Amino acid sequence: MAPIISVQNLSKTYGTGRKALNGVSLDIMGGEIFALLGPNGAGKTTLIGTICGLVNPTGGTVTVDGHDIITDYRAARELIGLVPQELHTDAFESVWDTVSFSRGLFGKPKNPAHIEKVLRDLSLWDRKDSKIITLSGGMKRRVMIAKALSHEPQILFLDEPTAGVDVELRKGMWEVVRALKATGVTIILTTHYIEEAEEMADRVGVINHGELILVDEKSALMQKLGKKQLKLHLDAPIDTVPPQLAAYDLALSDDHTKLIYTYDTRAEHTGITALLGDVRAAGIRFHDLDTSQSSLEEIFVSLVRA
Amino acid sequence: MNWRAIRAIYLFEMARTWRTLMQSIVSPVLSTSLYFIVFGAAIGSRIDQVEGVNYGSFIVPGLIMLSVLTQSVANASFGIYFPKFTGTIYEILSAPVSFLEIAVGYVGAAASKSILLGLIILATAGLFVPLHIAHPVWMFGFLVLTSVAFSLLGFIIGIWADGFEKLQVVPLLIITPLTFLGGSFYSISMLPPVWQTIALFNPVVYLVSGFRWSFYEIADVNVGVSLAATFGFLLACLAIVWWIFKTGYRLKA
Ligand SMILES: Nc1ncnc2c1ncn2[C@@H]1O[C@H](COP(=O)(O)OP(=O)(O)OP(=O)(O)O)[C@@H](O)[C@H]1O
Ligand SMILES: [Mg+2]
């Protein structure tokens, strides 16, 4: 299957000399939910902005469903709905008018039934005649989502859609996202809530200092997540792992005082009982032990720090 | 062409005009009346006639131009500056629209408002002085051309401006002086010869002259030259707008 978005070696250096993207290559598959993670200033918004036409790239190419975003921008942009990170809304227009305006701007014929559905899905229907300036921040964010959905895009970019939205509405929002995915819409989102990425995404990409440092299926990441480590604090340092214990694939800590055993908590046999028996048989004594589990957040942090 | 997008932008901008209808109409009517009281009645009673036309009537085309020029620049510059200021421009930039469509939408709305304004001032003037329009079609043609050309100029200023001060400085420092020195209230031939030559570098002279010709068939410069100059100005503005959207100047990071 051909990717719906293909980013090739994309670079962006801002006028200030700041290099925000450094040779990013990425394929997004049709119909998937892709979560883009990374610390503040990593380049997430810049990457999205470049694909959507808000930022001029300094190098590389992007195609959307085979259409180059520069030479064939019309065909490319028609497919895309964008919800930017910052709250940018009109002030004196009504919710209904601003959402209808977006549909017209994207060249779609009027369709009040569709607009109504979008507003209902986002719990905005009873505020449809309100002036935007009278809405709360969370409502404004949903208005921006409604605007992006007004023209029935095939691809939806959500740049931190849940910032400032309360828990219940956040759930509602993810329901909307799931329903969109069910109709075949491709969704690219950024978030600082890793649980959200964990819950929603099919694939996860991690970006740092303008470079994509990891792209993986979420399930593959979860595999790492399912791993636990058992550490044995030894009475006396040892030089090497004794050959009798080779089967356990143990690691020795840098200071030679800890033996580290990695196991899968979801496996039927973790092998811990046997390991402890064999350690004793090998004449190794330990005075303490602890276990720890890495979360997606930890994986993420360790990646970003590297 | 994405006609629906043009329509959406145009109607959005016009909605803004209707919301502020009172300001949009009351203030020009009021200021025009003041001009007539001051220039028409007070000064005009001494000047009497210019080139065979009574002074009050003589200044009507100039007065209309004065308002149309300043309002075109003010409205069009605000229309595009505001979304830049609030950030809502992101949507326009990410939409499948060309520079031409965006410009047609914004400039079309600003020009429509100016044309309406010109006609309102004309009607107000009719209450004070006798009006005679020799070439109504040409009159309307000049009104439309001028509104479009200066709305384009305003559009450019709105994109260029990165603060509210700049938005106000240009009309105040450039447009108003050019209009006052452009023969709104007098004939260029009344100036000393040196100033007559200098005045020919002022684009507003050609607009006012052509516009006045359509009323009274008197002109400082040939009508054909007026028309050509107006078109030239319009094309120059279009070229700048095209360049802005091509390079993303002041719009894209
Ligand atoms: N318009 C701009 N001009 C100059 N530098 C910019 C501009 N926009 C972003 N940057 C810089 O580019 C880098 C990447 O910024 P970007 O907004 O893409 O980060 P981000 O990953 O979205 O961060 P966050 O999680 O805070 O939203 C940052 O160092 C930022 O300071
Ligand atoms: Mg960001």
Side-chain angles (χ1 to χ4, degrees):
Chain A
M1 186 175 147
I4 192 154
I5 298 178
S6 180
V7 178
Q8 295 294 328
N9 207 13
L10 195 67
S11 295
K12 171 66 189 178
T13 306
Y14 282 107
T16 54
R18 160 78 58 183
K19 205 171 177 98
L21 290 178
N22 193 0
V24 171
S25 295
L26 172 68
D27 282 342
I28 306 278
M29 299 299 156
E32 75 172 333
I33 298 184
F34 188 91
L36 198 55
L37 306 179
N40 287 140
K44 303 179 294 291
T45 301
T46 304
L47 177 58
I48 292 177
T50 311
I51 298 173
C52 295
L54 308 183
V55 177
N56 279 333
T58 33
T61 56
V62 180
T63 58
V64 177
D65 202 18
H67 307 286
D68 185 273
I69 54 156
I70 300 197
T71 56
D72 198 6
Y73 67 93
R74 248 187 235 274
R77 292 184 195 167
E78 260 168 20
L79 301 170
I80 297 178
L82 166 66
V83 183
Q85 179 175 7
E86 307 282 334
L87 273 183
H88 298 307
T89 56
D90 298 315
F92 304 107
E93 286 70 21
S94 71
V95 171
W96 179 271
D97 285 350
T98 197
V99 175
S100 304
F101 166 78
S102 302
R103 188 174 170 90
L105 192 62
F106 277 74
K108 288 278 163 65
K110 282 207 164 91
N111 184 349
H114 176 70
I115 308 271
E116 175 172 345
K117 180 179 180 320
V118 168
L119 291 182
R120 281 192 192 280
D121 288 349
L122 289 164
S123 322
L124 284 169
W125 181 246
D126 55 339
R127 299 306 296 266
K128 72 180 166 63
D129 297 317
S130 303
K131 284 187 178 180
I132 298 164
I133 199 166
T134 66
L135 301 181
S136 74
M139 289 174 188
K140 284 182 186 148
R141 190 165 293 282
R142 281 179 280 139
V143 168
M144 290 177 66
I145 298 178
K147 280 164 84 70
L149 294 178
S150 67
H151 58 92
E152 299 160 75
Q154 282 305 298
I155 302 165
L156 181 65
F157 284 92
L158 298 165
D159 199 349
E160 292 192 38
T162 48
V165 176
D166 70 41
V167 179
E168 195 176 333
L169 285 169
R170 197 179 289 177
K171 277 187 196 147
M173 213 136 106
W174 290 130
E175 255 161 50
V176 173
V177 169
R178 280 203 193 87
L180 284 170
K181 179 185 156 77
T183 64
V185 175
T186 309
I187 293 140
I188 297 100
L189 59 93
T190 74
T191 176
H192 285 287
Y193 300 105
I194 292 176
E195 323 85 76
E196 284 183 352
E198 227 174 289
E199 195 188 327
M200 298 296 302
D202 299 311
R203 281 200 305 154
V204 175
V206 177
I207 189 170
N208 193 29
H209 298 306
E211 287 178 36
L212 203 58
I213 50 181
L214 168 127
V215 178
D216 215 337
E217 300 281 330
K218 185 189 58 184
S219 50
L221 281 174
M222 291 305 283
Q223 200 98 47
K224 288 181 198 159
L225 203 75
K227 296 258 163 66
K228 253 182 134 168
Q229 286 191 331
L230 169 69
K231 281 193 192 126
L232 301 178
H233 299 246
L234 308 179
D235 279 1
I238 54 173
D239 290 335
T240 51
V241 179
Q244 306 94 295
L245 301 176
Y248 298 101
D249 209 10
L250 298 177
L252 194 57
S253 68
D254 290 342
D255 59 0
H256 296 252
T257 62
K258 290 182 211 96
L259 273 176
I260 301 162
Y261 174 54
T262 309
Y263 61 98
D264 192 338
T265 47
R266 291 168 301 181
E268 232 166 280
H269 301 287
T270 58
I272 291 179
T273 322
L275 171 73
L276 293 183
D278 287 349
V279 165
R280 197 168 157 192
I284 297 173
R285 298 178 61 84
F286 54 92
H287 58 268
D288 197 4
L289 59 92
D290 66 63
T291 66
S292 60
Q293 177 157 31
S294 50
S295 65
L296 184 51
E297 186 151 1
E298 266 173 356
I299 295 173
F300 169 72
V301 168
S302 68
L303 273 169
V304 163
R305 233 185 248 137
Chain B
M1 279 296 250
N2 184 346
W3 291 105
R4 292 200 184 95
I6 296 178
R7 184 167 174 276
I9 296 174
Y10 181 85
L11 292 179
F12 183 91
E13 282 297 293
M14 288 313 276
R16 198 164 58 81
T17 302
W18 302 135
R19 270 203 308 273
T20 53
L21 197 62
M22 285 311 276
Q23 277 136 278
S24 322
I25 291 176
V26 170
S27 65
V29 169
L30 190 74
S31 60
T32 309
S33 306
L34 286 174
Y35 275 117
F36 274 111
I37 292 164
V38 174
F39 286 99
I43 302 177
S45 62
R46 294 172 188 232
I47 297 187
D48 208 34
Q49 285 208 331
V50 180
E51 300 187 21
V53 180
N54 104 28
Y55 186 70
S57 306
F58 178 84
I59 62 169
V60 171
L63 265 185
I64 296 176
M65 278 293 162
L66 179 66
S67 289
V68 165
L69 257 53
T70 31
Q71 287 298 313
S72 295
V73 170
N75 281 320
S77 60
F78 188 78
I80 188 73
Y81 178 77
F82 197 63
K84 247 180 31 163
F85 176 72
T86 60
T88 52
I89 188 95
Y90 84 84
E91 197 176 25
I92 308 265
L93 293 178
S94 68
V97 291
S98 67
F99 89 92
L100 194 64
E101 290 151 358
I102 299 174
V104 169
Y106 278 103
V107 172
S112 300
K113 190 175 170 185
S114 294
I115 293 165
L116 192 69
L117 181 78
L119 296 177
I120 290 171
I121 295 176
L122 186 64
T124 313
L127 301 176
F128 290 87
V129 290
L131 283 180
H132 167 77
I133 305 173
H135 306 284
V137 176
W138 279 106
M139 190 278 292
F140 193 68
F142 268 111
L143 183 63
V144 171
L145 262 182
T146 309
S147 300
V148 171
F150 277 76
S151 295
L152 266 173
L153 179 66
F155 187 72
I156 295 167
I157 293 169
I159 289 174
W160 165 79
D162 48 14
F164 275 104
E165 315 80 51
K166 283 191 183 168
L167 212 55
Q168 294 181 328
V169 151
V170 172
L172 211 66
L173 252 51
I174 300 178
I175 310 296
T176 313
L178 282 184
T179 336
F180 272 92
L181 300 174
S184 303
F185 301 111
Y186 51 86
S187 163
I188 298 296
S189 60
M190 294 159 107
L191 296 172
V194 184
W195 284 99
Q196 285 191 29
T197 315
I198 293 176
L200 291 181
F201 289 98
N202 179 353
V204 178
V205 166
Y206 298 89
L207 298 175
V208 173
S209 167
F211 197 48
R212 187 175 288 134
W213 170 85
S214 69
F215 280 75
Y216 309 121
E217 294 187 301
I218 49 172
D220 291 328
V221 289
N222 184 291
V223 183
V225 175
S226 278
L227 204 61
T230 315
F231 262 114
F233 185 69
L234 193 120
L235 288 178
C237 290
L238 261 180
I240 296 175
V241 171
W242 175 80
W243 174 82
I244 284 174
F245 278 91
K246 192 171 160 54
T247 59
Y249 172 76
R250 291 274 165 106
L251 289 175
K252 296 189 191 190

